[in-house]
Amino acid sequence: MKIQDLIYFKHLVDSSSFTKTAEAFYVSQPSISLSLKRLENEFNTKLITRDRSARNFHLEPAGEILYKNSGKIIDLLTATKKEMQNIETHTVQLGFLPTIGGFYLPKLLPSLNKFNSNLQLIEEESSEVMMNLLRENKLSVAISGDDVPQCKETWLEQYLIDERPLQVCVASNHPLAKESLVTADMLSNYSFICLDEEYIHYSMFERWAKENQINFKKAAYTKEIQTAGSFISSVLSVGIMIDLLVKNRTDIVTIPLENAPKFYISLVVNKNAAINPLQQEFNQTLIAIASQQAKQAL
């Protein structure tokens, strides 16, 4: 079975159009029809019944099953292909969150000069997205964040680099800016800006708000850290986040939060990923550096 045939089939069902599918992949409509025929021959069943007079079609039961699983099959085949390519190449990859990695990478990279010419950096703003890349074997090692010091998933190894409490982030001219410590009660009358559900900060903020009886209706959510910073600096909202997210903002100050939840920053390794020997050496070097830094921090 050709993976491209399955990709055509999924797009065909999603778009409900042979014409749109052909246009999307810059092929002819007969090519899509031949692709469909190959799949039907492969599975020895009818997948689609076409009504040429009405220029539409409907899925047969077997087609429903194939469509339901097509996304998972495509993702698995794509990930498998990438793993096989990784073994053959001499590229090493490191995933990191820009706002966090920008702070910790300078401490790690000087010891990794040997790998510089082979290094490919994978940047993602969200810890959730980064963990999914690791989980799906699209990446073998990353610097990421979590709300627990050790994740219980069996496929990963985790090496704690640092832990940072959430802080109150406000504009430099905000009424709270001169406080040395902020309590939940002091925040009860303010509106908040928070990162959305793709970020660990989201669940941390929601949990903290519930524990402290903070009104959720006073919180707005954004996918962009820069947007959150704009809301904070304009005195519209208060941010509850780690200081690293706003460390380069001269118009924002951070203040300790009483009984603040902690954000844990770790080197995360997918121990089941198929990787080339150079990536293996790179990962082991990173693990040794992270372990040494963790010991020094104790």
Side-chain angles (χ1 to χ4, degrees):
M1 182 181 71
K2 295 183 177 180
I3 185 173
Q4 191 61 48
D5 288 341
L6 195 57
I7 293 170
Y8 287 159
F9 175 75
K10 185 177 186 304
H11 191 284
L12 176 62
V13 178
D14 287 337
S15 66
S16 300
S17 170
F18 279 80
T19 301
K20 289 180 181 178
T21 301
E23 290 174 350
F25 295 97
Y26 301 98
V27 298
S28 66
Q29 288 189 49
S31 295
I32 303 300
S33 297
L34 286 171
S35 175
L36 175 62
K37 186 63 177 175
R38 283 194 295 267
L39 284 177
E40 291 181 330
N41 290 339
E42 175 76 25
F43 293 104
N44 194 29
T45 188
K46 191 77 171 172
L47 298 173
I48 283 176
T49 297
R50 300 177 69 175
D51 183 349
R52 296 184 181 276
S53 62
R55 294 186 178 181
N56 60 21
F57 62 82
H58 72 268
L59 284 176
E60 295 292 338
E64 294 276 6
I65 293 171
L66 182 59
Y67 174 70
K68 180 182 69 174
N69 293 292
S70 61
K72 291 182 284 188
I73 295 170
I74 292 167
D75 287 345
L76 180 58
L77 288 172
T78 302
T80 301
K81 183 178 179 181
K82 184 166 181 59
E83 283 189 57
M84 294 170 72
Q85 289 172 339
N86 286 345
I87 291 175
E88 300 297 327
T89 66
H90 295 288
T91 299
V92 294
Q93 295 181 322
L94 171 62
F96 69 100
L97 313 178
T99 48
I100 293 174
F103 183 79
Y104 294 99
L105 280 178
K107 302 179 182 181
L108 300 175
L109 291 180
S111 302
L112 299 170
N113 286 337
K114 173 182 176 180
F115 306 97
N116 280 354
S117 60
N118 305 91
L119 183 59
Q120 179 184 5
L121 297 174
I122 309 297
E123 299 182 57
E124 290 290 347
E125 289 284 359
S126 162
S127 296
E128 293 285 355
V129 173
M130 188 63 71
M131 290 299 289
N132 283 336
L133 290 176
L134 288 161
R135 188 179 291 106
E136 296 166 4
N137 295 324
K138 295 177 180 177
L139 194 62
S140 68
V141 63
I143 299 170
S144 192
D146 209 334
D147 56 355
V148 293
Q150 286 293 324
C151 184
K152 294 182 179 179
E153 297 200 51
T154 57
W155 55 268
L156 65 78
E157 293 176 349
Q158 195 169 353
Y159 302 87
L160 186 65
I161 296 174
D162 197 4
E163 55 184 65
R164 303 183 86 88
L166 297 190
Q167 299 210 23
V168 177
C169 304
V170 296
S172 55
N173 59 340
H174 192 279
L176 294 173
K178 294 183 179 179
E179 299 289 342
S180 58
L181 178 71
V182 175
T183 66
D185 288 341
M186 294 166 66
L187 294 167
S188 60
N189 293 323
Y190 292 106
S191 296
F192 298 90
I193 183 69
C194 183
L195 299 174
D196 76 3
E197 62 268 16
E198 289 187 358
Y199 293 82
I200 297 295
H201 275 73
Y202 174 86
S203 57
M204 293 179 72
F205 171 77
E206 296 250 306
R207 191 162 53 246
W208 170 82
K210 277 185 181 178
E211 290 171 355
N212 292 279
Q213 300 181 327
I214 298 293
N215 187 353
F216 284 93
K217 293 181 179 179
K218 291 186 175 182
Y221 298 90
T222 177
K223 294 181 181 296
E224 299 292 336
I225 293 170
Q226 289 296 327
T227 301
S230 296
F231 270 75
I232 294 168
S233 64
S234 66
V235 201
L236 284 174
S237 305
V238 172
I240 306 293
M241 57 188 68
I242 61 170
D243 57 345
L244 295 184
L245 300 190
V246 294
K247 67 182 178 67
N248 294 321
R249 300 289 299 253
T250 57
D251 52 350
I252 295 175
V253 297
T254 57
I255 312 158
L257 174 66
E258 184 180 54
N259 300 321
K262 288 184 178 179
F263 185 82
Y264 298 93
I265 297 154
S266 301
L267 181 72
V268 184
V269 182
N270 181 343
K271 61 184 181 182
N272 297 329
I275 54 178
N276 63 58
L278 189 63
Q279 181 77 61
Q280 181 67 36
E281 183 183 355
F282 177 78
N283 290 3
Q284 291 302 317
T285 303
L286 269 177
I287 289 168
I289 297 169
S291 300
Q292 184 61 34
Q293 289 195 356
K295 288 178 182 178
Q296 293 174 354
L298 294 176

